[in-house]
Amino acid sequence: MANSASGESMIARVVRVIDTFGVDRTVQTASEIGRRAGLPSSTAHRIIDELVDEGLLERDLEHRVRLGTRLWELALRGSTALRLRQAALPHMESVQAELREHTQLAVLERDEALFLERLSHPDAVSNITRVAGRLPLHASSSGLVLLAHADPALRERVLEGPLRAVGPNTITDPAVLRRALAEIRRSGFVSAPGSIEAVSTGVAVPLRDRGEVVAALSVVLPREAPVEPALVALRDAAARSEADLRDDAPLTRQ
Ligand code: PHB
């Protein structure tokens, strides 16, 4: 693998190029990508050209660059995320149809909650979650469930802080967070009013694959809405998703 003068591998440079894209930055010029990736302009342009040739990046008519559909295709093929999403989606649809509120599926990814799916409703409360977007573990209801069941080393790392306040009621005190996580493990759910936004309450439950927590299912409710009906619907959806994951039926039946 050809390394740059700094010793950085070609793959590391390619990842840096791809990593300049974000949920709020989906289209960029080649020069912007080079600058954000910290690469010399000629290197950035060469890598971008090759990635465009391979379909991993795409150029629009104004020559601006976006992530290619082929990247999406390759990333999803056979991925754990797709398997989870396929098992959970029909049951998330039931939750969404019943509650008419945002329903979402998240996994732990590099110390954050990464959202694999979000079903919305036109009349539902404000929601900052995006598919393929991330939220801090200590602030989102999904993140709290994932953190409660995470590897203890990760949990301690997060507890060391800093615990940034995202909403008016985000837990920012490590001792309070530690107690909240123990309570989530005990009760099997979390209700987090005002943790992300003042107007809403996130409610989340764990989703297990062969006994291990692999995801969180959540809904975002208006702040004062009752939690119990959402909890019943989420628990039912999690149990059904877990059963589908167990026999992998939705994946093999085409
Ligand atoms: C949550 O997961 O707790 C959550 C996510 C997005 C929001 C509100 C709450 O907008």
Side-chain angles (χ1 to χ4, degrees):
M1 187 79 50
N3 281 13
S4 67
S6 67
E8 192 179 36
S9 76
M10 184 57 165
I11 287 185
R13 280 174 283 165
V14 167
V15 169
R16 272 214 273 153
V17 164
I18 291 175
D19 223 17
T20 61
F21 292 88
V23 279
D24 293 316
R25 195 192 293 138
T26 55
V27 185
Q28 308 179 83
T29 65
S31 311
E32 286 167 344
I33 295 173
R35 188 166 38 77
R36 291 187 175 120
L39 293 170
S41 173
S42 58
T43 310
H45 277 79
R46 186 167 43 78
I47 291 174
I48 292 164
D49 284 346
E50 286 188 35
L51 291 174
V52 168
D53 284 348
E54 297 293 342
L56 301 180
L57 295 179
E58 290 170 2
R59 271 210 178 87
D60 63 18
L61 292 176
E62 282 113 56
H63 253 46
R64 291 174 314 171
V65 184
R66 59 174 68 238
L67 294 177
T69 313
R70 181 153 166 72
L71 191 60
W72 174 87
E73 177 194 358
L74 293 176
L76 252 66
R77 200 178 282 168
S79 73
T80 316
L82 181 63
R83 177 170 172 267
L84 261 174
R85 181 181 168 278
Q86 279 186 289
L89 192 55
H91 311 299
M92 292 175 66
E93 280 165 355
S94 304
V95 174
Q96 207 268 341
E98 185 186 330
L99 302 177
R100 297 169 175 263
E101 304 290 355
H102 305 284
T103 307
Q104 21 195 55
L105 175 69
V107 291
L108 181 64
E109 219 294 309
R110 295 185 186 216
D111 295 10
E112 288 179 304
L114 172 66
F115 287 83
L116 302 183
E117 188 55 89
R118 167 190 145 164
L119 303 177
S120 297
H121 189 274
D123 303 329
V125 70
S126 154
N127 182 352
I128 66 166
T129 312
R130 315 242 194 111
V131 174
R134 290 165 176 262
L135 285 178
L137 291 175
H138 70 284
S140 58
S141 57
S142 301
L144 285 164
V145 162
L146 294 167
L147 187 58
H149 294 279
D151 179 67
L154 188 156
R155 207 157 51 231
E156 291 308 316
R157 197 160 65 237
V158 172
L159 280 163
E160 268 170 31
L163 300 170
R164 185 172 63 87
V166 179
N169 296 92
T170 311
I171 301 175
T172 53
D173 178 330
V176 175
L177 181 57
R178 194 183 290 281
R179 282 199 296 277
L181 297 176
E183 176 58 20
I184 293 168
R185 283 191 295 276
R186 194 198 61 75
S187 66
F189 81 101
V190 68
S191 165
S195 185
I196 292 282
E197 289 189 285
V199 293
S200 58
T201 296
V203 183
V205 301
L207 199 161
R208 292 181 165 81
D209 187 13
R210 293 165 182 90
E212 201 181 313
V213 173
V214 290
L217 263 185
S218 63
V219 288
V220 179
L221 305 174
R223 176 73 177 259
E224 304 307 335
V227 167
E228 189 57 26
L231 188 55
V232 172
L234 282 173
R235 283 191 159 143
D236 183 56
R240 288 171 194 269
S241 306
E242 287 169 1
D244 283 350
L245 272 176
R246 231 169 358 250
D247 14 313
D248 254 0
L251 297 184
T252 48
R253 223 190 296 126
Q254 292 294 327

